Amino acid sequence: MYPRSAPGKSRHFYHVSDDAGQRCSNGGESETHERAVARVEVALHQQFGENARIETEVDVDVAEVPTPVTERRADALATFDDWNPYFGEGLAVEVQHNHEDKDVHQVTHDYLAAGYSVVWIRAATVLLDTFNYDTISAEFEQDDGSGYAQRTSKASRFTNCQALLYDGEHAWERVPPYAHPRGQEDLITYDICTAQGCELRRLHEPDDSHTYTASDEHGPDFPLKALKNAIVREYDRDPFWKWAGSQYHSAQVEKLLATRPEIERCRGPKGFHEWGRRETLWTNHADQPLIELRECMYCPVRLVTNHRGRSGHSTFCLYGREPDLDWDDVYFQASPPECDHYLYEEDAIEDYCPKCGVTMESPNTTLRDHTSWIPP
Protein backbone atom coordinates (compact mmCIF):
# COMPACT_ATOMS: atom_id res chain seq x y z
CA MET A 1 0.00 0.00 0.00
CA TYR A 2 1.21 3.50 -0.86
CA PRO A 3 -0.06 6.90 0.34
CA ARG A 4 -1.27 9.42 -2.23
CA SER A 5 -2.80 12.91 -2.10
CA ALA A 6 -3.95 15.51 -4.59
CA PRO A 7 -5.48 19.00 -4.48
CA GLY A 8 -9.13 18.80 -3.43
CA LYS A 9 -8.88 15.18 -2.27
CA SER A 10 -8.19 13.67 1.13
CA ARG A 11 -5.01 11.71 1.64
CA HIS A 12 -5.56 8.03 0.91
CA PHE A 13 -3.74 4.79 0.16
CA TYR A 14 -3.71 2.71 -2.99
CA HIS A 15 -2.66 -0.85 -3.75
CA VAL A 16 -0.21 -1.76 -6.51
CA SER A 17 -1.39 -4.94 -8.23
CA ASP A 18 0.87 -7.55 -9.75
CA ASP A 19 -0.07 -6.53 -13.27
CA ALA A 20 0.62 -2.84 -12.59
CA GLY A 21 3.23 -2.79 -15.30
CA GLN A 22 0.59 -3.73 -17.88
CA ARG A 23 -1.91 -0.97 -17.13
CA CYS A 24 -1.75 2.73 -17.89
CA SER A 25 -0.37 4.67 -14.94
CA ASN A 26 -1.64 8.00 -13.60
CA GLY A 27 -0.92 11.06 -15.75
CA GLY A 28 1.24 9.10 -18.18
CA GLU A 29 3.88 8.45 -15.50
CA SER A 30 5.49 5.06 -15.21
CA GLU A 31 4.57 2.88 -12.23
CA THR A 32 8.18 3.14 -11.05
CA HIS A 33 7.96 6.91 -10.98
CA GLU A 34 4.62 6.79 -9.18
CA ARG A 35 5.93 4.45 -6.50
CA ALA A 36 8.99 6.65 -6.01
CA VAL A 37 6.85 9.77 -5.59
CA ALA A 38 4.75 7.95 -2.99
CA ARG A 39 7.86 7.10 -0.97
CA VAL A 40 9.02 10.73 -1.17
CA GLU A 41 5.63 11.80 0.16
CA VAL A 42 6.05 9.50 3.16
CA ALA A 43 9.51 10.92 3.85
CA LEU A 44 8.23 14.49 3.68
CA HIS A 45 5.37 13.65 6.05
CA GLN A 46 7.78 12.14 8.54
CA GLN A 47 10.03 15.21 8.41
CA PHE A 48 7.58 18.13 8.06
CA GLY A 49 4.12 16.65 8.62
CA GLU A 50 3.19 18.91 11.56
CA ASN A 51 4.45 22.14 9.97
CA ALA A 52 3.68 21.76 6.29
CA ARG A 53 1.07 20.66 3.78
CA ILE A 54 2.35 17.65 1.83
CA GLU A 55 0.98 17.04 -1.68
CA THR A 56 1.93 15.16 -4.82
CA GLU A 57 1.47 16.16 -8.45
CA VAL A 58 0.66 19.71 -7.41
CA ASP A 59 0.97 22.95 -9.38
CA VAL A 60 3.22 25.71 -8.05
CA ASP A 61 2.27 29.25 -9.08
CA VAL A 62 5.12 30.96 -10.96
CA ALA A 63 2.95 33.56 -12.73
CA GLU A 64 4.96 36.41 -11.20
CA VAL A 65 8.24 34.96 -12.46
CA PRO A 66 9.45 36.09 -15.93
CA THR A 67 9.11 32.68 -17.55
CA PRO A 68 7.00 31.30 -20.43
CA VAL A 69 4.83 29.22 -18.07
CA THR A 70 2.56 30.26 -15.19
CA GLU A 71 2.75 26.97 -13.25
CA ARG A 72 5.26 24.26 -12.50
CA ARG A 73 4.00 20.81 -11.49
CA ALA A 74 5.96 19.36 -8.59
CA ASP A 75 6.13 15.60 -8.14
CA ALA A 76 5.98 16.15 -4.38
CA LEU A 77 5.70 19.40 -2.47
CA ALA A 78 5.95 20.43 1.17
CA THR A 79 4.40 23.88 1.62
CA PHE A 80 5.27 25.38 5.00
CA ASP A 81 2.81 27.11 7.28
CA ASP A 82 5.38 29.87 7.85
CA TRP A 83 8.40 30.98 5.87
CA ASN A 84 11.17 28.48 6.43
CA PRO A 85 14.55 30.21 6.94
CA TYR A 86 16.30 27.55 4.86
CA PHE A 87 13.74 26.31 2.31
CA GLY A 88 11.51 29.40 1.97
CA GLU A 89 7.86 28.91 0.96
CA GLY A 90 8.27 25.19 0.49
CA LEU A 91 10.33 22.28 -0.78
CA ALA A 92 9.64 20.72 -4.18
CA VAL A 93 10.98 17.24 -4.89
CA GLU A 94 11.35 16.25 -8.53
CA VAL A 95 11.73 12.51 -9.09
CA GLN A 96 13.63 11.66 -12.26
CA HIS A 97 12.89 8.39 -14.00
CA ASN A 98 11.34 8.39 -17.46
CA HIS A 99 10.14 11.94 -16.87
CA GLU A 100 13.21 13.45 -18.47
CA ASP A 101 11.41 16.08 -20.54
CA LYS A 102 11.65 18.72 -17.81
CA ASP A 103 14.22 21.45 -18.37
CA VAL A 104 16.11 21.05 -15.08
CA HIS A 105 17.90 24.38 -15.45
CA GLN A 106 14.79 26.46 -16.17
CA VAL A 107 12.54 24.63 -13.73
CA THR A 108 15.09 25.14 -10.93
CA HIS A 109 15.19 28.84 -11.76
CA ASP A 110 11.40 29.12 -11.62
CA TYR A 111 11.07 27.38 -8.26
CA LEU A 112 13.79 29.53 -6.67
CA ALA A 113 12.40 32.75 -8.18
CA ALA A 114 8.93 31.88 -6.81
CA GLY A 115 10.33 31.39 -3.30
CA TYR A 116 10.59 27.58 -3.23
CA SER A 117 13.54 25.23 -2.85
CA VAL A 118 13.89 22.21 -5.09
CA VAL A 119 15.75 18.92 -5.11
CA TRP A 120 16.19 16.53 -8.03
CA ILE A 121 16.51 12.86 -7.14
CA ARG A 122 16.59 9.63 -9.14
CA ALA A 123 13.69 7.21 -8.83
CA ALA A 124 16.13 4.32 -8.42
CA THR A 125 17.63 6.08 -5.38
CA VAL A 126 14.20 6.62 -3.82
CA LEU A 127 13.27 2.95 -4.23
CA LEU A 128 16.32 1.68 -2.32
CA ASP A 129 15.57 0.08 1.04
CA THR A 130 17.77 2.67 2.77
CA PHE A 131 15.82 5.67 1.45
CA ASN A 132 14.45 8.20 3.94
CA TYR A 133 14.47 12.00 4.34
CA ASP A 134 18.21 11.92 5.10
CA THR A 135 18.78 11.01 1.44
CA ILE A 136 16.98 14.19 0.38
CA SER A 137 18.80 16.30 2.98
CA ALA A 138 22.17 15.02 1.77
CA GLU A 139 21.58 16.54 -1.68
CA PHE A 140 21.53 20.00 -0.08
CA GLU A 141 24.66 19.37 1.98
CA GLN A 142 26.92 18.03 -0.78
CA ASP A 143 28.89 20.52 -2.86
CA ASP A 144 27.84 18.71 -6.04
CA GLY A 145 24.38 17.78 -4.77
CA SER A 146 21.17 18.35 -6.69
CA GLY A 147 19.38 20.26 -3.93
CA TYR A 148 18.91 24.02 -4.28
CA ALA A 149 17.72 25.90 -1.21
CA GLN A 150 16.46 29.46 -0.84
CA ARG A 151 19.20 30.32 1.63
CA THR A 152 22.11 29.03 -0.44
CA SER A 153 21.05 29.28 -4.10
CA LYS A 154 20.20 32.25 -6.31
CA ALA A 155 17.69 31.90 -9.13
CA SER A 156 19.89 33.98 -11.46
CA ARG A 157 22.46 31.17 -11.50
CA PHE A 158 20.02 29.04 -13.45
CA THR A 159 19.43 31.19 -16.48
CA ASN A 160 20.88 31.66 -19.94
CA CYS A 161 20.20 35.40 -19.76
CA GLN A 162 23.36 37.40 -19.12
CA ALA A 163 21.41 40.47 -18.03
CA LEU A 164 19.44 38.50 -15.45
CA LEU A 165 22.60 36.80 -14.22
CA TYR A 166 24.63 39.98 -13.72
CA ASP A 167 22.01 42.69 -13.17
CA GLY A 168 19.12 40.72 -11.67
CA GLU A 169 16.70 41.90 -14.40
CA HIS A 170 16.05 41.10 -18.03
CA ALA A 171 17.26 43.73 -20.53
CA TRP A 172 13.79 44.68 -21.79
CA GLU A 173 13.52 46.79 -24.95
CA ARG A 174 10.34 47.61 -26.88
CA VAL A 175 9.91 46.10 -30.35
CA PRO A 176 8.45 49.00 -32.38
CA PRO A 177 4.93 48.30 -33.67
CA TYR A 178 5.53 50.08 -36.99
CA ALA A 179 7.89 47.25 -37.92
CA HIS A 180 5.11 44.68 -37.85
CA PRO A 181 4.15 43.76 -41.41
CA ARG A 182 0.59 42.86 -40.43
CA GLY A 183 -0.55 46.46 -40.30
CA GLN A 184 -1.43 48.78 -37.46
CA GLU A 185 -4.63 47.18 -36.17
CA ASP A 186 -4.69 45.18 -32.93
CA LEU A 187 -0.92 44.93 -32.62
CA ILE A 188 0.49 43.25 -29.54
CA THR A 189 2.70 45.61 -27.54
CA TYR A 190 5.69 43.66 -26.32
CA ASP A 191 9.30 43.87 -25.22
CA ILE A 192 12.14 41.47 -25.86
CA CYS A 193 15.12 40.76 -23.65
CA THR A 194 18.16 41.82 -25.65
CA ALA A 195 20.69 39.85 -23.60
CA GLN A 196 22.73 37.19 -25.36
CA GLY A 197 21.19 33.75 -25.21
CA CYS A 198 17.79 34.97 -24.01
CA GLU A 199 14.68 34.86 -26.19
CA LEU A 200 12.11 35.80 -23.57
CA ARG A 201 9.39 38.25 -24.61
CA ARG A 202 7.10 40.28 -22.34
CA LEU A 203 3.59 40.96 -23.66
CA HIS A 204 1.68 43.93 -22.27
CA GLU A 205 -1.89 43.07 -21.27
CA PRO A 206 -4.76 45.62 -21.08
CA ASP A 207 -4.79 45.44 -17.26
CA ASP A 208 -1.09 46.48 -17.15
CA SER A 209 0.02 42.95 -16.30
CA HIS A 210 2.60 41.01 -18.30
CA THR A 211 2.56 37.65 -20.02
CA TYR A 212 5.87 36.02 -20.83
CA THR A 213 6.60 33.87 -23.85
CA ALA A 214 9.56 32.51 -25.79
CA SER A 215 7.56 32.43 -29.03
CA ASP A 216 8.11 34.93 -31.85
CA GLU A 217 4.52 34.62 -33.13
CA HIS A 218 3.72 38.27 -32.31
CA GLY A 219 6.83 39.73 -33.94
CA PRO A 220 7.91 40.79 -37.42
CA ASP A 221 8.06 38.02 -39.98
CA PHE A 222 10.51 39.51 -42.49
CA PRO A 223 14.05 38.13 -42.93
CA LEU A 224 17.20 39.57 -41.41
CA LYS A 225 18.42 40.87 -44.77
CA ALA A 226 15.50 43.34 -44.83
CA LEU A 227 17.39 45.39 -42.23
CA LYS A 228 20.60 45.65 -44.21
CA ASN A 229 19.99 49.21 -45.49
CA ALA A 230 18.33 50.34 -42.26
CA ILE A 231 21.39 49.83 -40.03
CA VAL A 232 24.49 52.01 -40.12
CA ARG A 233 27.70 50.26 -39.17
CA GLU A 234 30.99 51.90 -38.36
CA TYR A 235 32.85 49.46 -40.58
CA ASP A 236 31.39 47.31 -43.34
CA ARG A 237 34.20 44.79 -43.61
CA ASP A 238 32.03 41.78 -42.65
CA PRO A 239 28.90 40.66 -44.51
CA PHE A 240 25.75 41.98 -42.85
CA TRP A 241 24.55 38.54 -41.71
CA LYS A 242 27.91 37.85 -40.05
CA TRP A 243 27.91 41.22 -38.29
CA ALA A 244 24.34 40.65 -37.07
CA GLY A 245 25.36 37.27 -35.69
CA SER A 246 28.15 38.88 -33.71
CA GLN A 247 25.65 41.29 -32.16
CA TYR A 248 22.96 38.77 -31.22
CA HIS A 249 22.97 35.00 -31.38
CA SER A 250 19.18 34.65 -31.59
CA ALA A 251 16.04 36.69 -32.40
CA GLN A 252 18.25 39.03 -34.40
CA VAL A 253 15.51 40.92 -36.25
CA GLU A 254 13.53 41.75 -33.12
CA LYS A 255 16.57 42.68 -31.05
CA LEU A 256 18.01 44.93 -33.76
CA LEU A 257 14.65 46.64 -34.22
CA ALA A 258 14.47 47.23 -30.48
CA THR A 259 17.99 48.54 -29.96
CA ARG A 260 19.27 50.32 -33.06
CA PRO A 261 18.56 54.08 -32.80
CA GLU A 262 18.75 54.67 -36.55
CA ILE A 263 15.79 52.38 -37.26
CA GLU A 264 12.83 54.75 -37.18
CA ARG A 265 9.39 55.02 -38.72
CA CYS A 266 9.21 55.95 -42.40
CA ARG A 267 6.70 56.01 -45.22
CA GLY A 268 8.93 53.75 -47.26
CA PRO A 269 7.95 50.22 -48.29
CA LYS A 270 9.30 48.56 -45.13
CA GLY A 271 7.91 51.05 -42.64
CA PHE A 272 11.33 52.27 -41.52
CA HIS A 273 14.11 54.37 -43.03
CA GLU A 274 16.61 52.85 -45.40
CA TRP A 275 19.79 54.88 -45.69
CA GLY A 276 21.25 55.54 -49.14
CA ARG A 277 23.72 58.23 -50.19
CA ARG A 278 26.24 59.20 -47.52
CA GLU A 279 28.74 62.01 -47.10
CA THR A 280 31.72 62.08 -44.74
CA LEU A 281 31.74 65.23 -42.60
CA TRP A 282 34.64 64.46 -40.27
CA THR A 283 37.35 61.79 -40.26
CA ASN A 284 39.44 60.33 -37.47
CA HIS A 285 43.23 60.33 -37.23
CA ALA A 286 43.37 57.37 -39.65
CA ASP A 287 41.25 59.26 -42.18
CA GLN A 288 38.34 56.92 -41.60
CA PRO A 289 34.77 58.30 -41.50
CA LEU A 290 33.93 59.56 -38.02
CA ILE A 291 30.85 61.68 -38.67
CA GLU A 292 28.67 60.88 -41.66
CA LEU A 293 25.55 62.41 -43.17
CA ARG A 294 23.11 60.01 -44.82
CA GLU A 295 19.83 60.43 -46.69
CA CYS A 296 16.77 58.20 -46.47
CA MET A 297 15.98 56.64 -49.83
CA TYR A 298 12.23 57.24 -49.44
CA CYS A 299 11.70 60.47 -47.49
CA PRO A 300 13.43 63.82 -46.79
CA VAL A 301 14.87 62.70 -43.45
CA ARG A 302 18.64 62.88 -42.87
CA LEU A 303 20.77 60.93 -40.44
CA VAL A 304 23.98 62.18 -38.85
CA THR A 305 26.07 59.37 -37.37
CA ASN A 306 29.01 59.99 -35.06
CA HIS A 307 31.21 56.98 -34.33
CA ARG A 308 33.49 57.88 -31.46
CA GLY A 309 35.72 54.86 -31.75
CA ARG A 310 34.48 52.85 -28.78
CA SER A 311 31.81 50.19 -28.76
CA GLY A 312 28.40 51.53 -27.80
CA HIS A 313 29.49 55.17 -28.05
CA SER A 314 27.85 56.15 -31.32
CA THR A 315 25.43 59.05 -31.65
CA PHE A 316 22.59 58.93 -34.18
CA CYS A 317 20.66 62.15 -34.85
CA LEU A 318 17.66 62.39 -37.16
CA TYR A 319 16.79 65.63 -38.95
CA GLY A 320 13.84 66.60 -41.11
CA ARG A 321 16.12 68.59 -43.39
CA GLU A 322 19.84 68.72 -44.09
CA PRO A 323 21.59 69.89 -40.90
CA ASP A 324 24.05 72.76 -40.63
CA LEU A 325 27.40 71.28 -41.59
CA ASP A 326 29.25 73.90 -39.50
CA TRP A 327 28.20 72.15 -36.29
CA ASP A 328 31.28 70.68 -34.66
CA ASP A 329 32.18 67.29 -33.21
CA VAL A 330 31.10 68.24 -29.69
CA TYR A 331 27.63 69.12 -30.92
CA PHE A 332 27.15 65.79 -32.65
CA GLN A 333 28.05 63.93 -29.47
CA ALA A 334 24.87 65.29 -27.87
CA SER A 335 21.71 63.20 -27.98
CA PRO A 336 18.45 64.92 -29.00
CA PRO A 337 15.51 64.34 -26.67
CA GLU A 338 12.59 62.16 -27.60
CA CYS A 339 9.43 63.72 -28.99
CA ASP A 340 7.44 66.06 -28.52
CA HIS A 341 8.88 67.39 -31.16
CA TYR A 342 12.08 68.64 -32.70
CA LEU A 343 13.50 68.45 -36.23
CA TYR A 344 11.32 71.03 -38.02
CA GLU A 345 11.06 74.71 -38.80
CA GLU A 346 7.65 76.30 -39.28
CA ASP A 347 8.19 76.63 -43.04
CA ALA A 348 9.59 73.11 -43.48
CA ILE A 349 8.29 71.14 -46.45
CA GLU A 350 8.12 67.90 -44.47
CA ASP A 351 4.82 67.40 -42.64
CA TYR A 352 5.54 64.58 -40.20
CA CYS A 353 8.07 63.72 -37.53
CA PRO A 354 10.46 60.91 -38.53
CA LYS A 355 11.01 60.06 -34.87
CA CYS A 356 7.44 59.22 -33.89
CA GLY A 357 5.39 59.57 -37.07
CA VAL A 358 3.11 62.39 -35.87
CA THR A 359 1.61 64.27 -38.82
CA MET A 360 0.78 67.99 -38.87
CA GLU A 361 -2.99 68.49 -39.03
CA SER A 362 -2.93 72.26 -39.53
CA PRO A 363 -0.43 75.16 -39.55
CA ASN A 364 -1.15 75.61 -35.84
CA THR A 365 0.40 72.22 -35.05
CA THR A 366 3.65 72.79 -36.90
CA LEU A 367 6.36 70.67 -35.35
CA ARG A 368 8.90 72.52 -33.27
CA ASP A 369 12.05 74.11 -34.67
CA HIS A 370 14.84 71.54 -34.70
CA THR A 371 17.24 74.03 -33.03
CA SER A 372 15.05 74.50 -29.93
CA TRP A 373 16.75 71.74 -27.96
CA ILE A 374 20.31 72.94 -28.57
CA PRO A 375 21.94 74.20 -25.32
CA PRO A 376 22.94 77.90 -25.28
Side-chain angles (χ1 to χ4, degrees):
M1 303 290 288
Y2 292 92
R4 178 165 57 191
S5 62
K9 297 181 179 180
S10 61
R11 188 163 179 261
H12 59 280
F13 289 82
Y14 74 100
H15 178 73
V16 179
S17 62
D18 293 336
D19 62 345
Q22 302 300 319
R23 57 187 173 85
C24 180
S25 60
N26 182 35
E29 297 287 356
S30 71
E31 191 65 36
T32 300
H33 179 268
E34 191 170 298
R35 291 173 60 194
V37 170
R39 293 199 70 184
V40 168
E41 183 185 16
V42 172
L44 292 178
H45 267 291
Q46 292 172 345
Q47 182 69 20
F48 304 114
E50 297 182 357
N51 301 307
R53 183 174 70 256
I54 312 300
E55 300 170 285
T56 61
E57 301 297 336
V58 60
D59 292 329
V60 176
D61 183 6
V62 295
E64 298 301 319
V65 178
T67 185
V69 300
T70 58
E71 294 177 334
R72 289 293 183 188
R73 170 151 288 200
D75 290 332
L77 179 70
T79 305
F80 301 113
D81 298 333
D82 300 303
W83 176 268
N84 185 288
Y86 187 79
F87 290 121
E89 294 283 355
L91 169 60
V93 182
E94 293 289 351
V95 178
Q96 294 179 290
H97 178 51
N98 292 329
H99 196 55
E100 301 292 349
D101 58 328
K102 286 188 177 180
D103 183 342
V104 173
H105 210 65
Q106 184 64 52
V107 172
T108 299
H109 166 272
D110 294 350
Y111 278 129
L112 290 172
Y116 291 83
S117 299
V118 61
V119 60
W120 299 83
I121 191 164
R122 304 292 299 184
T125 300
V126 177
L127 294 177
L128 293 174
D129 292 339
T130 56
F131 174 78
N132 54 35
Y133 178 76
D134 290 342
T135 306
I136 296 175
S137 179
E139 294 296 332
F140 291 95
E141 298 170 359
Q142 299 169 8
D143 291 339
D144 59 347
S146 58
Y148 307 98
Q150 282 292 309
R151 178 184 287 181
T152 58
S153 301
K154 294 184 179 297
S156 58
R157 288 176 49 206
F158 302 92
T159 178
N160 59 0
C161 176
Q162 294 178 350
L164 187 62
L165 177 61
Y166 294 110
D167 300 328
E169 176 61 57
H170 286 280
W172 298 118
E173 295 289 348
R174 181 67 49 83
V175 178
Y178 58 76
H180 291 235
R182 303 179 182 89
Q184 296 297 308
E185 299 296 329
D186 301 324
L187 292 177
I188 300 294
T189 300
Y190 78 100
D191 310 316
I192 188 169
C193 177
T194 58
Q196 287 287 16
C198 187
E199 296 186 38
L200 196 64
R201 295 155 177 88
R202 181 175 68 177
L203 311 183
H204 295 255
E205 303 295 347
D207 61 355
D208 295 329
S209 64
H210 295 131
T211 301
Y212 300 94
T213 178
S215 170
D216 63 355
E217 64 177 310
H218 301 293
D221 58 5
F222 48 76
L224 175 64
K225 64 182 180 181
L227 295 177
K228 181 176 181 180
N229 293 328
I231 292 178
V232 174
R233 293 182 281 160
E234 184 174 3
Y235 304 113
D236 297 338
R237 290 189 293 261
D238 294 329
F240 177 71
W241 63 267
K242 186 175 182 180
W243 171 87
S246 69
Q247 302 298 304
Y248 297 110
H249 299 158
S250 60
Q252 295 167 337
V253 171
E254 291 168 279
K255 292 183 179 183
L256 289 171
L257 284 169
T259 57
R260 295 297 296 191
E262 72 272 36
I263 302 179
E264 291 287 354
R265 187 173 183 176
C266 177
R267 293 175 179 174
K270 296 178 182 177
F272 45 77
H273 299 296
E274 294 185 80
W275 306 110
R277 189 179 70 87
R278 66 182 177 179
E279 176 183 352
T280 298
L281 305 183
W282 291 68
T283 60
N284 61 16
H285 63 279
D287 203 32
Q288 296 169 322
L290 179 65
I291 301 178
E292 293 181 304
L293 173 66
R294 297 172 186 253
E295 297 180 0
C296 177
M297 294 187 288
Y298 300 103
C299 74
V301 172
R302 309 292 197 276
L303 171 72
V304 173
T305 306
N306 179 18
H307 298 292
R308 286 181 272 169
R310 289 179 292 174
S311 177
H313 284 193
S314 297
T315 299
F316 298 86
C317 301
L318 288 170
Y319 298 96
R321 63 176 177 82
E322 186 170 344
D324 188 339
L325 299 187
D326 291 333
W327 292 338
D328 60 16
D329 179 54
V330 175
Y331 169 84
F332 283 120
Q333 291 183 15
S335 295
E338 296 294 330
C339 298
D340 160 70
H341 292 279
Y342 54 93
L343 311 176
Y344 292 90
E345 292 180 328
E346 291 186 3
D347 59 350
I349 297 175
E350 299 78 23
D351 63 351
Y352 78 103
C353 174
K355 191 76 172 178
C356 71
V358 169
T359 302
M360 296 191 315
E361 297 179 356
S362 71
N364 295 329
T365 58
T366 301
L367 300 176
R368 200 168 63 198
D369 188 324
H370 72 281
T371 62
S372 62
W373 64 274
I374 302 174

